[in-house]
Amino acid sequence: MSEQNFDIVVLGGGSAGYAAAIRAVELGLTAAVIEKDKLGGTCLHRGCIPTKALLHAAEVAEVSKDAAKYGIKAAFDGIDMSGVAAYREGIVSSKWKGLQGLLKARGIPVIEGEGRLVAANAVQVGDDRYVGKNIVLATGSYSKSLPGLDIGGRVITSEHALELDFVPKKVAVLGGGVIGVEFASVWRSFGAEVTIIEALPHLVPNEDESVSKQLERAFRKRGIEYSLGVRFQSVTQNDQGVVVTLENGQTYEAELLLVAVGRGPVTENLGYEEVGVTLDRGFVPTNERLETNVPGIYAVGDIVPGLQLAHRSYQQGIFVAEEIAGLSPIIVEDVNIPKITYCEPEIASVGYTEAKAAEKFGADQVSAFDYNLAGNGKSSILGTTGSVKVVRVNDGPIVGVHIIAGRAGELIAEAQLAVNWEAYPEDIAPFIHAHPTQGEAFGEAVLKLAGKPLHAI
Ligand SMILES: NC(=O)c1ccc[n+]([C@@H]2O[C@H](COP(=O)([O-])OP(=O)(O)OC[C@H]3O[C@@H](n4cnc5c(N)ncnc54)[C@H](O)[C@@H]3O)[C@@H](O)[C@H]2O)c1
C-alpha cells in the first residue's frame, strides 16, 4: 500500500473535477485527480460534445434538404450513421487528447481507478491511498429512469441513443426537457417519426412560456409530435418494438423508447455517508462556499443540487480551488447562468423568465419586449425564425433574456453580461449592434425598452 499527499485530492475527472485541479495548480497548490473511466466525464464522452456533433450533422442534413431554396443544386440522399459516428468520435477523441495534454502540462497526476472516500482527508484506489488537506467530490451524474421502468433492450437512455448505428423509423421520447427535445430534433432531421411525451403542460418547461410555445409550433411544423400534460404509465417491448401507454389510456407504438426524465447524482457506494457527508436524495448539499457538512470536503458539479450544466461545473471547480487557496471568489447564482438547448430552432436563456420576474418583483414592476426575428435581416438570410425577449424591472436593470433562433446559443453571451452586470436597457442602447447580424435583435429589443425603437413598433 502506498500513500501520497496533496493539497487537494479530486474524486472524479469530469468538467467540475478537472477545472478544480487546473485552477488549484495555477494557484501554487498540488492536486491529483482520480478517474475510473475517462478524463472529461459525461460532457466530453457521453454528453455535450458528442450530442452537439450529432446535432450539427442533423443541421447539415437539413441544409442539404433545403439547398434548392438557395439556388444550390444538391440532393439529400440519406444518412450514413457510420460516417456520423466517425465524425463524432473524431471530435471527442481530439478534445480528449487535448484535455489530457492540459493536465499533463500542469503536472497534475490523473490516477486511473475507482476511488472511495475512506476518511475526511483520504481517498483510496485499490491498495493506494491519496491524502488531501482538502477533498473535492466531483463524481457527476447518470441518466435516471422512473420507478418500475427498466432500461434495456428497446428502452434506452441518451448514452445508448448516442451510440445507435441506425436511424430508427419511429421513436417515442419520454420527457420533453433538454435531452428529450435535442434527440427528437436530431432523429427528425435524420428522417425518423418522433413523438415526445411530457408530463408538464409545455416542452422545455423551465424556459419562458413564449419560447416553449414557439418551439412547440416549430416542432409541429417539422413533423415532431408531442403529448403534453400527460404522464407515462407503462411500456411493453418485443422483437419488433415498444408499446408505450400513458396515464390517459393513449398508446404509442415505436421502435425505441428514449427515457429522458432527468439525471441523478452518482454518490452511492463511494464512502460518502460512512465518512459523515450528509446526502439529500442522493445529492450533496453544501454551504455557499461549496463545502459539505464535513469540514475540508467540498462538492462540485452535478452532485450539487441545482442546474446540471458543464459550464456551471467549471465555475464551481474554479471557485472551490480559489476558496481553498484563500482567495475570496464570487459565484454566479444558478438563475444567472446561461442555458442552451441545441434543438432546431435553438434556445438560449439567462436570468428570470417573464413569469418568474413577475413573481419576484411584482407583475406591475416588470416589462418585457419580444422582438420577432422576422424583422431581422440576417435571420431572413439564414432562413431562421424566432424571437429575442428581454425582461426588465421597470426603470431598472435587465433581469432576463430568452432567445429562440438558429444558433441562439452564440447570441447569449452578451445577454449574460447584461444580466450579470445588472445593465439597464438605457446603458446598452447607445452601443449600436453590427449590421447585419442576428445580434441586432437583442439591440432592437433593448432600444425599444429604452424608449427609442428603430426596427420595432
Ligand atoms: N444543452 C444542455 O445544456 C444539456 C443537454 C443535455 C442535458 N443537459 C442537462 O442534463 C440534465 C438532464 O436532462 P433531461 O432532459 O433528462 O432532464 P430535464 O429535467 O431537462 O427534463 C426531464 C423532463 O421529463 C419530464 N418527465 C418526468 N417524469 C415524467 C413522466 N413520468 N412522464 C412524462 N414526462 C416526465 C419532466 O417534466 C421534464 O420536463 C438536465 O439538467 C439538463 O439541463 C443539458
Side-chain angles (χ1 to χ4, degrees):
M1 176 166 150
S2 74
E3 183 172 303
Q4 289 186 53
N5 290 272
F6 297 90
D7 291 317
I8 301 181
V9 172
V10 183
L11 184 54
S15 307
Y18 80 70
I22 286 178
R23 187 68 186 124
V25 168
E26 279 170 358
L27 291 168
L29 303 174
T30 57
V33 174
I34 297 165
E35 171 55 53
K36 66 174 180 181
D37 188 8
K38 289 178 183 163
L39 194 62
T42 300
C43 172
L44 178 52
H45 299 282
R46 299 174 293 282
C48 324
I49 298 296
T51 57
K52 269 73 251 182
L54 265 192
L55 278 144
H56 184 62
E59 184 183 345
V60 174
E62 292 294 349
V63 169
S64 62
K65 287 181 212 168
D66 266 359
K69 199 163 102 185
Y70 305 98
I72 306 297
K73 290 185 184 171
F76 174 74
D77 197 22
I79 308 289
D80 163 18
M81 281 309 283
S82 62
V84 172
Y87 155 66
R88 191 194 75 224
E89 284 162 12
I91 307 279
V92 170
S93 85
S94 81
K95 298 292 123 205
W96 185 33
K97 277 200 196 96
L99 179 61
Q100 289 168 303
L102 275 183
L103 270 79
K104 198 168 171 205
R106 288 174 164 90
I108 301 169
V110 179
I111 292 119
E112 289 174 19
E114 186 135 9
R116 185 181 172 82
L117 194 64
V118 289
N121 67 345
V123 176
Q124 182 121 354
V125 182
D127 285 339
D128 302 322
R129 186 173 274 240
Y130 299 89
V131 177
K133 288 182 191 144
N134 295 277
I135 303 285
V136 176
L137 307 177
T139 39
S141 61
Y142 69 96
S143 296
K144 274 194 320 196
S145 187
L146 298 174
L149 173 58
D150 294 330
I151 303 296
R154 295 176 174 276
V155 178
I156 64 173
T157 65
S158 59
E159 282 87 352
H160 307 116
L162 202 53
E163 303 284 335
L164 284 187
D165 57 3
F166 64 98
V167 177
K169 287 192 177 56
K170 215 171 165 188
V171 210
V173 175
L174 178 55
V178 186
I179 294 181
V181 300
E182 287 189 352
F183 274 97
S185 192
V186 168
W187 277 325
R188 185 66 193 139
S189 294
F190 284 180
E193 283 177 48
V194 185
T195 301
I196 305 172
I197 299 145
E198 168 55 52
L200 293 174
H202 287 292
L203 293 179
V204 287
N206 293 327
E207 297 295 340
D208 194 276
E209 195 175 312
S210 64
V211 166
S212 294
K213 285 182 174 165
Q214 287 183 74
L215 181 71
E216 286 157 17
R217 281 198 295 275
F219 267 19
R220 190 73 87 195
K221 220 167 147 190
R222 290 185 58 197
I224 298 173
E225 301 291 325
Y226 43 82
S227 284
L228 303 177
V230 56
R231 297 186 86 82
F232 163 89
Q233 187 167 54
S234 62
V235 63
T236 55
Q237 57 171 310
N238 59 30
D239 288 349
Q240 273 71 52
V242 296
V243 180
V244 180
T245 306
L246 307 188
E247 272 185 0
N248 63 6
Q250 242 179 317
T251 56
Y252 290 110
E253 286 179 22
E255 216 175 321
L256 294 171
L257 172 67
L258 169 68
V259 179
V261 293
R263 295 182 62 84
V266 176
T267 52
E268 269 182 22
N269 303 321
L270 292 169
Y272 293 2
E273 284 170 294
E274 287 86 335
V275 168
V277 175
T278 301
L279 301 185
D280 179 9
R281 280 159 290 177
F283 287 93
V284 186
T286 67
N287 63 17
E288 72 285 0
R289 315 315 289 168
L290 293 176
E291 196 171 24
T292 68
N293 62 307
V294 178
I297 301 186
Y298 293 79
V300 290
D302 285 2
I303 60 173
V304 179
L307 288 178
Q308 292 172 315
L309 297 172
H311 45 285
R312 173 187 184 253
S313 294
Y314 293 147
Q315 162 175 258
Q316 292 188 338
I318 292 168
F319 176 92
V320 156
E322 293 183 351
E323 178 70 14
I324 291 170
L327 307 179
S328 298
I330 55 154
I331 198 146
V332 174
E333 280 178 66
D334 275 7
V335 66
N336 289 338
I337 293 177
K339 298 181 290 185
I340 303 169
T341 304
Y342 294 84
C343 50
E344 169 51 42
E346 212 163 272
I347 294 166
S349 62
V350 61
Y352 293 99
T353 62
E354 191 176 355
K356 289 264 187 258
E359 244 172 59
K360 185 170 170 70
F361 304 104
D364 57 345
Q365 296 304 309
V366 169
S367 337
F369 183 66
D370 207 348
Y371 183 78
N372 190 320
L373 288 182
N376 177 265
K378 188 64 185 283
S379 299
S380 302
I381 291 165
L382 296 174
T384 181
T385 53
S387 68
V388 176
K389 181 191 251 193
V390 178
V391 183
R392 85 174 294 187
V393 173
N394 291 342
D395 304 321
I398 294 170
V399 293
V401 180
H402 307 276
I403 308 176
I404 176 162
R407 304 277 160 93
E410 304 297 337
L411 303 177
I412 202 66
E414 180 186 20
Q416 171 190 0
L417 291 183
V419 168
N420 279 285
W421 285 348
E422 300 177 3
Y424 285 36
E426 292 77 5
D427 297 329
I428 298 174
F431 302 110
I432 198 79
H433 286 67
H435 177 76
T437 57
Q438 287 203 90
E440 282 179 289
F442 176 67
E444 294 286 352
V446 164
L447 281 170
K448 168 78 180 176
L449 287 171
K452 38 182 183 176
L454 182 61
H455 297 99
I457 296 165

